[in-house]
Amino acid sequence: MNQVKRIESLDILKGLVIIFMALDHTRDYFHADAFIFDPADPEKSNYILFFTRWITHYCAPAFSFLAGISAYLVGRRKSKAELSSFLLKRGIWLVFIELTIVYLGWSFNIHFEAIGLLVIWSLGISMIFLAAFIHLSMRNILILSLAIICGHNLLDSIHFEGSILWSILHERGHFTLLDYFKLRITYPVIPWIGVMALGYYFGKFYDKDVLAEYRQRLFSKIGLIITVAFFVIRGINLYGNSDPWIGFGSFEAILISFMDPAKYPPSLTYLLMTLGPTFIFLGQSENLKGFIVDFCATFGKVPFFIYIIHIYVIHLSALFLAEYTGFGFGAMVLTGFVSTNKQLVGYGLDLIWVYIIWATIMLMLYPACKWFSHYKQNHKDKWWLSYF
């Protein structure tokens, strides 16, 4: 009985971050200002626009952390060798999907001329490393994950100009290969490896011999400590962030600057800001019930499925808006990130419409996710479903 509750709480959190993620992606494709300035720019943004972007900061860390927990839970039914093999194959699969299906969904460009290494890529690479880490003791996994999360900002001052390998490991970068192919490395992997490994360690607290009340108190306490640590370290403004906050002229600008620590790669303060509330939510959500809880959990039970289809549905919807507003279907065939395509300057809607479109799309996708969740549940004998 307790195990069902534990799984449900994980699904609720996955579903919530998926919903938040879809909001940011809807903003990317529909908000007029997305093609003019960064919503986290303290000098140009405002509370509502910044919050629309800021709430989605929780998505990637929660995904990575929960993937680590899920790996531990899967491992309870497998030997270490079997789990290692599964993680390795799934990691390679995710990297392949990022470079093909995900890229095509973002761009609708069949020429594959500007590929980004994004969140699915980082999850895949982290799984490949986790396939090796699981052979360490749980104590050493904890030490290694904390060392990566807390110490990787020591590498911020190290630069290797033009190095793709260093960019993949720790420093965001853009490269042009073969005179035409553009590679955008947005999710350097070192910090994300630590986040997933940390999730794997905390997966052990979902074992049957761990009392739910103990786990809830522990996670809530850890979350509170991490959240307080964020405000202290961010306030000191000396370490843990490659993008220090700035004292602008207005309180609004200062708050936006303070609450937007570096994400690419995820700085220590960024991970403290996001993982703290993640722990708190896991500690407080195991007994939640109701329609909204079930709604979120439905998305959380099929995270990979909803991730893929929501990109295509959002982009397809934007394509029709571009045609309707005179920009043409071709304007939505993109190179690179949507905001970098100059042909879309002047396109887009007010933020209120972004929220309406986002809510409509999530409601449209809910039945498909519910169906796929039931299909997975009733066809556990199909091995390929474990990759979705």
Side-chain angles (χ1 to χ4, degrees):
M1 181 173 63
N2 286 337
Q3 185 175 345
V4 173
K5 289 183 179 180
R6 293 165 194 163
I7 294 174
E8 188 75 5
S9 66
L10 300 178
D11 288 337
I12 295 167
L13 181 55
K14 286 183 210 173
L16 270 178
V17 296
I18 286 167
I19 292 169
F20 293 152
M21 173 192 66
L23 171 60
D24 193 44
H25 295 162
T26 304
R27 180 194 59 77
D28 280 335
Y29 281 92
F30 286 94
H31 189 217
D33 290 346
F35 310 99
I36 301 174
F37 64 86
D38 183 347
D41 186 334
E43 297 182 287
K44 297 179 180 178
S45 192
N46 56 67
Y47 287 129
I48 298 176
L49 178 57
F50 174 71
F51 175 79
T52 304
R53 170 60 177 156
W54 176 81
I55 193 65
T56 66
H57 281 338
Y58 289 86
C59 300
F63 271 137
S64 188
F65 184 76
L66 291 171
I69 293 178
S70 295
Y72 179 88
L73 297 178
V74 169
R76 296 190 302 189
R77 306 188 300 271
K78 299 177 182 289
S79 68
K80 283 291 179 67
E82 290 171 334
L83 178 60
S84 187
S85 175
F86 172 76
L87 290 172
L88 178 62
K89 289 185 289 186
R90 185 177 175 96
I92 294 171
W93 164 249
L94 289 177
V95 172
F96 171 76
I97 290 297
E98 178 76 88
L99 299 179
T100 54
I101 304 299
V102 172
Y103 164 79
L104 193 59
W106 286 126
S107 68
F108 284 178
N109 188 329
I110 62 173
H111 299 293
F112 287 79
E113 55 189 330
I115 289 179
L117 302 184
L118 308 175
V119 65
I120 298 299
W121 140 271
S122 75
L123 290 173
I125 295 296
S126 296
M127 284 185 184
I128 292 171
F129 275 87
L130 187 60
F133 291 170
I134 64 170
H135 296 283
L136 302 174
S137 69
M138 292 300 283
R139 177 176 178 272
N140 286 338
I141 290 175
L142 176 62
I143 292 172
L144 178 62
S145 63
L146 291 178
I148 292 172
I149 290 171
C150 298
H152 80 90
N153 282 123
L154 293 171
L155 303 174
D156 289 347
S157 61
I158 300 174
H159 308 284
F160 297 98
E161 193 68 30
S163 172
I164 294 178
L165 177 60
W166 183 242
S167 185
I168 286 174
L169 291 174
H170 192 259
E171 191 169 44
R172 186 181 189 182
H174 307 80
F175 303 89
T176 300
L177 309 176
L178 303 175
D179 295 328
Y180 75 93
F181 178 77
K182 294 180 174 59
L183 177 66
R184 183 167 183 169
I185 301 170
T186 305
Y187 279 73
V189 298
I190 285 180
W192 296 114
I193 292 169
V195 175
M196 189 175 291
L198 186 70
Y200 183 84
Y201 173 83
F202 278 96
K204 72 176 188 177
F205 292 97
Y206 287 90
D207 282 339
K208 293 180 180 180
D209 59 349
V210 177
L211 293 176
E213 293 78 9
Y214 171 75
R215 178 178 58 255
Q216 292 164 17
R217 289 195 304 270
L218 177 66
F219 279 26
S220 298
K221 186 181 297 183
I222 290 173
L224 181 60
I225 292 171
I226 293 175
T227 303
V228 171
F230 159 71
F231 284 102
V232 172
I233 296 174
R234 184 66 168 152
I236 294 172
N237 217 21
L238 291 177
Y239 176 78
N241 191 73
S242 57
D243 186 17
W245 63 275
I246 300 173
F248 290 93
S250 70
F251 177 77
E252 182 180 49
I254 293 173
L255 181 63
I256 290 174
S257 179
F258 187 91
M259 296 301 293
D260 187 47
K263 179 181 179 180
Y264 308 108
S267 61
L268 169 61
T269 48
Y270 173 86
L271 292 174
L272 293 174
M273 181 184 75
T274 52
L275 290 178
T278 295
F279 271 100
I280 292 172
F281 185 89
L282 289 175
Q284 297 295 316
S285 63
E286 292 191 23
N287 299 314
L288 295 178
K289 298 183 183 298
F291 170 77
I292 295 178
V293 169
D294 294 339
F295 182 83
C296 294
T298 296
F299 292 116
K301 291 172 183 176
V302 289
F304 185 72
F305 176 77
I306 180 62
Y307 183 86
I308 297 298
I309 65 172
H310 97 282
I311 294 172
Y312 280 84
V313 171
I314 289 173
H315 195 169
L316 185 63
S317 301
L319 184 147
F320 282 104
L321 178 64
E323 174 67 18
Y324 177 75
T325 55
F327 285 81
F329 291 125
M332 272 296 164
V333 177
L334 309 174
T335 57
F337 282 65
V338 62
S339 60
T340 64
N341 286 261
K342 296 181 179 179
Q343 75 271 17
L344 288 170
V345 173
Y347 157 88
L349 303 170
D350 291 338
L351 192 59
I352 183 62
W353 283 106
V354 171
Y355 275 86
I356 292 171
I357 294 168
W358 162 65
T360 302
I361 288 175
M362 297 311 294
L363 289 173
M364 286 172 50
L365 295 180
Y366 177 78
C369 292
K370 196 168 186 65
W371 167 81
F372 191 64
S373 174
H374 287 158
Y375 183 83
K376 286 183 65 179
Q377 186 67 26
N378 295 325
H379 296 83
K380 293 183 177 180
D381 57 312
K382 298 185 183 297
W383 64 269
W384 56 269
L385 284 173
S386 64
Y387 289 87
F388 287 88

